[in-house]
Amino acid sequence: MPAPIRLRELIRTIRTARTQAEEREMIQKECAAIRSSFREEDNTYRCRNVAKLLYMHMLGYPAHFGQLECLKLIASQKFTDKRIGYLGAMLLLDERQDVHLLMTNCIKNDLNHSTQYVQGLALCTLGCMGSSEMCRDLAGEVEKLLKTSNSYLRKKAALCAVHVIRKVPELMEMFLPATKNLLSEKNHGVLHTSVVLLTEMCERSPDMLAHFRKLVPQLVRILKNLIMSGYSPEHDVSGISDPFLQVRILRLLRILGKNDDDSSEAMNDILAQVATNTETSKNVGNAILYETVLTIMDIKSESGLRVLAINILGRFLLNNDKNIRYVALTSLLKTVQTDHNAVQRHRSTIVDCLKDLDVSIKRRAMELSFALVNGNNIRGMMKELLYFLDSCDPEFKADCASGVFLAAEKYAPSKRWHIDTIMRVLTTAGSYVRDDSVPNLIQLITNSVEMHAYTVQRLYKALLDDISQQPLVQVASWCIGEYGDLLVSGQCEEEEPIQVTEDEVLDVLEGLLVSNLSTPVTRGYSLTAIMKLSTRFSSVNRIKKVVSIYGSSIDVELQQRAVEYNALFKKYDHMRPALLERMPIMEKTASNGPTEIVQTNGETEPSTVENGLKIDFTFERANPNPNIAVITIHATNSTEAEMTDFVFQAAVPKTFQLQLLSPSSNVVPALNQGTVTQVIRVLNPQKQQLRMRIKLTYTHKGSAVQDLAEVNNFPPQSWQ
Amino acid sequence: MIKAILIFNNHGKPRLSKFYEHYNEDTEQQIIRETFHLVSKRDENVCNFLEGGLLIGGLDYKLIYRHYATLYFVFCVDSSESELGILDLIQVFVETLDKCFENVCELDLIFHVDKVHHILAEMVMGGMVLETNMNEIITQVDAQNKMEKSETFIFQSTRQDR
């Protein structure tokens, strides 16, 4: 059998292939040759064959038949063999194959080898893909190497220890003694990986965290030396001394200083020093500054330092480098809840970022802009955001539209402004608006009584222009159905009333029914609207005709409606005016749709508790209607931080109907110092066992939390 | 933690793929394809960070990449790594390759992919950054290469250098 070809030859050959099929053929031929070579147990060429196999594996071809060969290479005495063998093990093997356990003994021997590079290979492989069994067996060896004076091995042992801890957390204690003098090392490689090891231990165990807090002064000292030491050619990267190590130390300081006054106090000075002295012309400097800012914001730093940090972020926003702008926006997003005023100062720069070409930057700028909207800047901000909505990519439109609606609802300076804003969103991004905004908008419009005429007129005009955007069309049809009489009587006060006849209105609505652009839901809306006009318009015959035509529509939903409306004209004509009356003002409900409350005696329902938030239910039977129950929820917070933007939502099975009234507040104070209450009314005509699914959303310690729970154990008195 | 390091050319052909978490072979190839698809769409003057594709871990993972001539260097990392720091790391990696191969170009990576793995192994281990000092890395890689060479000298057979 001729000697197997060299890796270089194989690569050269494969590169001459002109099609995928040709390449596959070459690979298969070579695989066959390799397989027979393996069968012959050829030691000389095994290394070469495995190397070729790894190359083919990278291109995507199966290479599992080489797994055992890798093991044989690892067991060989030659460094060349071991090198490829270990590489092959890392690329081809994992803990799901039983084969990998055979490596354990080899690795154990190699960890004690006389050559440091062999030991290094073993550490590297164990640290990359060692399974929990292997880690358990070999942790002792790793711990030994963590204490060696050989810095090459020590740094690898540190990272290997991190892997062991990840796989077998119980072994963490074992490495504690070895960490004692890790930080007194001079070698930066060891320092670096030691800090990684300490970070991992602190993140995993609060006890370790408390234990390692005493290292803060030492870390501060090391950092100080790095900054003040002047030019050191060995560690210099673009004029800064070992920026990677600085960043690592800053991150560890962040973890140690969080929620701890003493540690935070101890690092205040060095943080200020780094923040002011670091050179910002190159990326390395900015990486350090960025890490410093994150640390300042996370620990208990004094307010001067926090303002400094936010100003650094503000400067970042003006940087030409897009990466810097990106990280600045990301960080500002994290801090906008806690340091709102400081971030407000940079509002105009943030708004400018909406016009950036980069998609990731635009998205962050948008989120941040919504977070910065308040009663004072609503008009200006909304102008910018609406302009953004006009021109942004489709992927943003849904989120932007929802954001605009929310902001408008919270801070609208006037009803007219609110309606105008909604109109603007519906006409420019109407097809991207979320489905649940349609009922919300309808409710908003209903409750703005004095604006009815204006609203219906604007919506009607919008329909004349464009009937393709379904949410717009649905809201418009509903309004015309409700307020069509105001439209034809020309009662608009806010702007010049238009002249429109009943027939023109009916033309438009019928047009919606027949248009290809209308979805079935939209058709339902327009048919109902036409029906409602029968009590507001005089051309009842025309309406009767339309309704009877749709009595034989193929669309079942439409057909059912039409048949029922027909019946309204014939047998139940006496009920028609009352049924089609103007809708009453709807109570403000949570965005989760209509909810009902169940009344019971003053029994307390054992509540749901999640992450310190406790919800109690109480029941009252105050309402004369026996089918309605009134439940009050009481939310208390036993954690040490308050919960803001608290929203309670509930859903019930179909046979019930639910209505949520406004909550007493949306901030649940910390440490049970106050309660948020909210009243729920549940209609239960069929007297069924009440079940409720609740969703709680709030912001806690700077992050958004969402909890879902099901409440099934309402006492029978609540629904009987 | 670094989840994967990928190098591929402008046409998506992989030149190095190292995963620090296990996926089966098909998934690995899918990830390479998806990453190439995401990264090659990017304009030249946008930022170097991308939210990860759905395959490799969803929202907590970012792709940090640099484009040098015909090659993309992509690091897939989670939120525990500093984005700007990883950019610097990619720079160190490329400079190291440049020193080791003397003005490195794509062909070097094609024909010496095992050597590139060995260099990378001195920089990143188990998904964590091991060594960032370029000279240190080169010293260690050179020493190991010397060891290999000395072994092939000892065995005077018809077998030649791999």
Side-chain angles (χ1 to χ4, degrees):
Chain A
M1 159 135 212
I5 63 173
R6 293 191 281 164
L7 174 60
R8 215 173 298 161
E9 271 311 311
L10 175 66
I11 298 177
R12 214 172 279 145
T13 316
I14 292 179
R15 278 166 65 75
T16 62
R18 273 161 304 166
T19 65
Q20 185 74 0
E22 225 181 299
E23 180 183 286
R24 214 171 325 156
E25 212 183 293
M26 293 174 183
I27 301 261
Q28 272 168 2
K29 195 159 139 242
E30 185 58 33
C31 275
I34 294 178
R35 260 189 240 253
S36 38
S37 184
F38 283 163
R39 265 196 297 271
E40 291 180 7
E41 297 283 336
D42 186 326
N43 287 340
T44 337
Y45 296 117
R46 185 177 288 129
C47 181
R48 188 186 286 188
N49 285 327
V50 171
K52 284 186 285 186
L53 208 52
L54 293 180
Y55 178 78
M56 295 191 283
H57 170 81
M58 179 181 75
L59 292 181
Y61 297 95
H64 43 81
F65 59 90
Q67 284 167 4
L68 255 168
E69 303 299 316
C70 292
L71 290 176
K72 293 184 195 160
L73 283 173
I74 292 175
S76 153
Q77 291 307 314
K78 291 167 60 189
F79 181 70
T80 318
D81 286 349
K82 280 189 195 285
R83 223 180 180 193
I84 289 290
Y86 276 121
L87 179 61
M90 282 193 277
L91 290 176
L92 298 179
L93 287 175
D94 80 292
E95 52 194 69
R96 275 168 253 190
Q97 280 105 13
D98 298 324
V99 172
H100 85 280
L101 281 169
L102 299 172
M103 279 201 311
T104 316
N105 217 27
C106 283
I107 294 187
K108 190 175 192 139
N109 291 335
D110 283 339
L111 283 174
N112 290 312
H113 203 272
S114 48
T115 314
Q116 66 173 8
Y117 293 114
V118 175
Q119 288 174 294
L121 283 176
L123 278 171
C124 185
T125 309
L126 180 60
C128 276
M129 41 83 66
S131 64
S132 3
E133 293 98 5
M134 284 170 75
C135 288
R136 244 184 261 271
D137 286 338
L138 299 170
E141 306 292 329
V142 177
E143 201 258 344
K144 233 171 26 189
L145 288 171
L146 196 50
K147 299 198 277 229
T148 173
S149 53
N150 179 329
S151 46
Y152 175 72
L153 291 176
R154 210 169 181 200
K155 75 181 179 194
K156 290 201 173 194
L159 284 191
C160 196
V162 174
H163 180 84
V164 169
I165 292 175
R166 284 187 182 159
K167 282 290 181 190
V168 192
E170 305 93 66
L171 290 175
M172 187 164 29
E173 292 291 324
M174 175 179 185
F175 292 104
L176 192 49
T179 61
K180 225 190 275 281
N181 46 13
L182 275 179
L183 288 185
S184 16
E185 257 281 352
K186 289 276 176 283
N187 180 300
H188 278 212
V190 179
L191 265 179
H192 188 247
T193 55
S194 304
V195 173
V196 174
L197 175 58
L198 291 170
T199 309
E200 182 73 21
M201 292 169 93
C202 290
E203 277 176 340
R204 282 194 175 255
S205 151
D207 293 331
M208 290 286 181
L209 179 58
H211 172 84
F212 284 126
R213 281 227 170 89
K214 62 177 195 276
L215 292 176
V216 171
Q218 210 174 357
L219 288 165
V220 169
R221 238 194 335 264
I222 299 175
L223 195 50
K224 199 169 192 145
N225 282 338
L226 283 173
I227 310 174
M228 308 296 278
S229 63
Y231 181 65
S232 155
E234 203 187 317
H235 301 125
D236 183 271
V237 180
S238 304
I240 297 188
S241 192
D242 208 341
F244 296 99
L245 182 58
Q246 290 193 34
V247 167
R248 280 283 164 212
I249 294 179
L250 284 164
R251 190 174 279 256
L252 181 55
L253 284 175
R254 178 151 88 237
I255 294 172
L256 293 173
K258 199 169 182 162
N259 290 329
D260 188 270
D261 289 319
D262 292 329
S263 305
S264 306
E265 167 85 43
M267 45 179 100
N268 249 318
D269 284 343
I270 190 67
L271 289 173
Q273 223 178 346
V274 175
T276 40
N277 285 350
T278 306
E279 181 71 42
T280 58
S281 53
K282 290 276 167 62
N283 191 54
V284 283
N286 286 321
I288 295 173
L289 271 181
Y290 175 48
E291 203 67 32
T292 313
V293 165
L294 290 179
T295 302
I296 293 175
M297 300 315 289
D298 241 10
I299 65 174
K300 290 184 175 281
S301 45
E302 37 180 62
S303 60
L305 203 52
R306 294 181 88 86
V307 171
L308 176 62
I310 297 208
N311 288 345
I312 292 177
L313 290 178
R315 270 209 314 275
F316 273 3
L317 279 180
L318 299 166
N319 196 309
N320 280 331
D321 187 336
K322 300 209 177 258
N323 299 322
I324 310 281
R325 292 213 293 278
Y326 173 95
V327 301
L329 285 171
T330 312
S331 319
L332 283 171
L333 206 48
K334 284 191 224 155
T335 63
V336 71
Q337 301 294 341
T338 45
D339 294 84
H340 192 94
N341 291 333
V343 181
Q344 278 283 1
R345 255 180 253 142
H346 302 280
R347 197 179 63 239
S348 50
T349 325
I350 293 170
V351 167
D352 278 337
C353 288
L354 284 172
K355 307 194 182 87
D356 203 297
L357 293 166
D358 184 327
V359 139
S360 318
I361 290 183
K362 273 203 276 223
R363 174 167 287 282
R364 276 161 180 74
M366 181 181 83
E367 286 172 19
L368 203 45
S369 301
F370 279 122
L372 288 176
V373 169
N374 63 23
N376 293 332
N377 56 35
I378 177 77
R379 281 189 198 265
M381 286 296 274
M382 202 49 87
K383 214 163 64 179
E384 297 286 345
L385 287 165
L386 286 172
Y387 181 66
F388 174 68
L389 183 62
D390 284 340
S391 51
C392 68
D393 299 326
E395 62 188 282
F396 289 122
K397 291 209 195 230
D399 290 325
C400 190
S402 303
V404 168
F405 286 148
L406 262 163
E409 207 172 299
K410 274 205 268 202
Y411 301 111
S414 74
K415 288 247 160 80
R416 158 115 191 231
W417 182 93
H418 197 168
I419 304 271
D420 281 342
T421 307
I422 292 176
M423 287 293 307
R424 174 85 185 269
V425 174
L426 284 179
T427 45
T428 51
S431 28
Y432 298 97
V433 163
R434 296 222 165 81
D435 290 337
D436 62 352
S437 21
V438 172
N440 284 343
L441 292 175
I442 289 179
Q443 181 189 55
L444 174 68
I445 293 172
T446 315
N447 292 350
S448 321
V449 177
E450 65 277 17
M451 305 294 301
H452 285 168
Y454 172 69
T455 311
V456 69
Q457 177 162 298
R458 286 213 57 190
L459 283 169
Y460 177 75
K461 285 202 276 199
L463 269 192
L464 291 176
D465 276 333
D466 172 20
I467 59 168
S468 64
Q469 309 202 76
Q470 300 305 295
L472 173 63
V473 175
Q474 286 167 13
V475 175
S477 343
W478 190 91
C479 280
I480 296 177
E482 270 303 291
Y483 312 119
D485 48 325
L486 299 176
L487 187 58
V488 297
S489 61
Q491 286 182 22
C492 183
E493 285 171 357
E494 298 280 341
E495 61 174 23
E496 186 68 36
I498 58 173
Q499 309 294 337
V500 63
T501 66
E502 292 185 2
D503 276 319
E504 283 172 331
V505 174
L506 288 171
D507 283 340
V508 169
L509 287 176
E510 283 187 50
L512 293 176
L513 275 174
V514 301
S515 165
N516 286 337
L517 298 167
S518 301
T519 62
V521 172
T522 308
R523 291 205 180 97
Y525 270 89
S526 44
L527 186 60
T528 307
I530 293 177
M531 186 60 194
K532 283 201 263 189
L533 290 173
S534 71
T535 53
R536 294 157 175 73
F537 281 4
S538 50
S539 20
V540 181
N541 284 328
R542 177 172 175 182
I543 296 178
K544 264 196 207 168
K545 220 179 345 184
V546 174
V547 167
S548 69
I549 293 175
Y550 280 88
S552 43
S553 160
I554 305 177
D555 181 334
V556 175
E557 173 78 31
L558 224 47
Q559 192 195 91
Q560 178 171 356
R561 278 175 202 244
V563 165
E564 286 172 6
Y565 295 157
N566 250 334
L568 264 189
F569 276 123
K570 302 205 166 65
K571 233 167 72 166
Y572 299 98
D573 201 42
H574 55 282
M575 288 175 65
R576 189 165 50 88
L579 271 174
L580 300 177
E581 207 173 54
R582 190 76 100 224
M583 291 286 269
I585 301 199
M586 302 180 208
E587 298 258 8
K588 209 65 182 89
T589 75
S591 53
N592 207 26
T595 55
E596 289 205 359
I597 310 173
V598 172
Q599 263 181 328
T600 69
N601 280 321
E603 317 262 285
T604 314
E605 164 71 44
S607 46
T608 27
V609 181
E610 303 236 29
N611 303 325
L613 175 64
K614 183 161 178 275
I615 308 278
D616 290 306
F617 296 77
T618 55
F619 311 92
E620 293 124 322
R621 212 187 271 288
N623 197 298
N625 184 338
N627 291 337
I628 296 187
V630 178
I631 309 179
T632 310
I633 60 131
H634 307 263
T636 47
N637 165 16
S638 60
T639 70
E640 49 187 18
E642 62 177 19
M643 298 172 176
T644 54
D645 301 311
F646 176 82
V647 174
F648 172 96
Q649 293 168 308
V652 286
K654 266 200 263 214
T655 51
F656 299 81
Q657 273 185 294
L658 206 52
Q659 184 187 31
L660 273 176
L661 304 186
S662 296
S664 60
S665 142
N666 55 13
V667 175
V668 191
L671 300 169
N672 294 326
Q673 283 168 2
T675 318
V676 168
T677 55
Q678 193 165 4
V679 175
I680 315 173
R681 293 154 62 90
V682 179
L683 176 65
N684 181 6
Q686 300 183 21
K687 293 283 189 222
Q688 295 199 330
Q689 154 87 46
L690 176 63
R691 292 173 5 238
M692 195 184 281
R693 211 170 265 167
I694 63 177
K695 178 164 140 186
L696 310 157
T697 51
Y698 54 93
T699 309
H700 188 234
K701 293 186 183 169
S703 33
V705 182
Q706 185 183 294
D707 286 330
L708 294 161
E710 194 142 8
V711 187
N712 290 331
N713 46 352
F714 286 100
Q717 292 93 316
S718 65
W719 47 271
Q720 271 177 348
Chain B
M1 184 183 151
I2 299 173
K3 251 204 160 176
I5 297 179
L6 305 170
I7 306 178
F8 42 75
N9 70 3
N10 290 345
H11 304 292
K13 209 107 190 143
R15 295 302 176 209
L16 179 115
S17 56
K18 179 83 182 180
F19 290 87
Y20 292 99
E21 228 177 67
H22 187 81
Y23 300 97
N24 63 38
E25 288 165 354
D26 287 331
T27 317
E28 283 186 1
Q29 289 300 312
Q30 254 185 303
I31 290 173
I32 296 175
R33 271 198 301 272
E34 190 189 54
T35 308
F36 169 66
H37 183 70
L38 284 170
V39 154
S40 57
K41 270 196 310 191
R42 303 277 281 175
D43 217 1
E44 276 307 311
N45 52 5
V46 298
C47 68
N48 299 87
F49 314 124
L50 251 181
E51 259 74 61
L54 297 166
L55 269 177
I56 202 163
L59 287 174
D60 191 27
Y61 291 92
K62 284 203 184 75
L63 293 173
I64 301 180
Y65 71 96
R66 273 218 134 114
H67 191 189
Y68 296 91
T70 61
L71 290 171
Y72 285 99
F73 284 69
V74 185
F75 280 46
C76 178
V77 306
D78 69 8
S79 48
S80 72
E81 298 289 337
S82 157
E83 296 102 330
L84 297 179
I86 294 286
L87 271 182
D88 288 326
L89 188 66
I90 298 181
Q91 185 67 19
V92 172
F93 184 32
V94 172
E95 281 178 17
T96 310
L97 288 176
D98 202 32
K99 266 267 177 63
C100 286
F101 287 105
E102 267 147 66
N103 289 320
V104 69
C105 64
E106 193 183 337
L107 276 177
D108 291 315
L109 298 192
I110 294 172
F111 281 100
H112 299 286
V113 62
D114 53 338
K115 287 210 174 43
V116 181
H117 267 291
H118 295 140
I119 295 172
L120 188 57
E122 295 298 326
M123 285 182 71
V124 179
M125 187 178 127
M128 293 166 282
V129 178
L130 172 65
E131 177 66 64
T132 55
N133 185 319
M134 191 168 72
N135 294 325
E136 187 65 31
I137 299 169
I138 294 175
T139 314
Q140 286 154 12
V141 169
D142 279 345
Q144 294 182 64
N145 288 342
K146 243 196 221 104
M147 271 186 74
E148 268 201 41
K149 272 218 170 60
S150 68
E151 284 179 346
T152 57
F153 261 141
I154 295 171
F155 292 91
Q156 286 135 6
S157 58
T158 49
R159 178 177 169 279
Q160 285 155 359
D161 185 271
R162 182 172 42 82

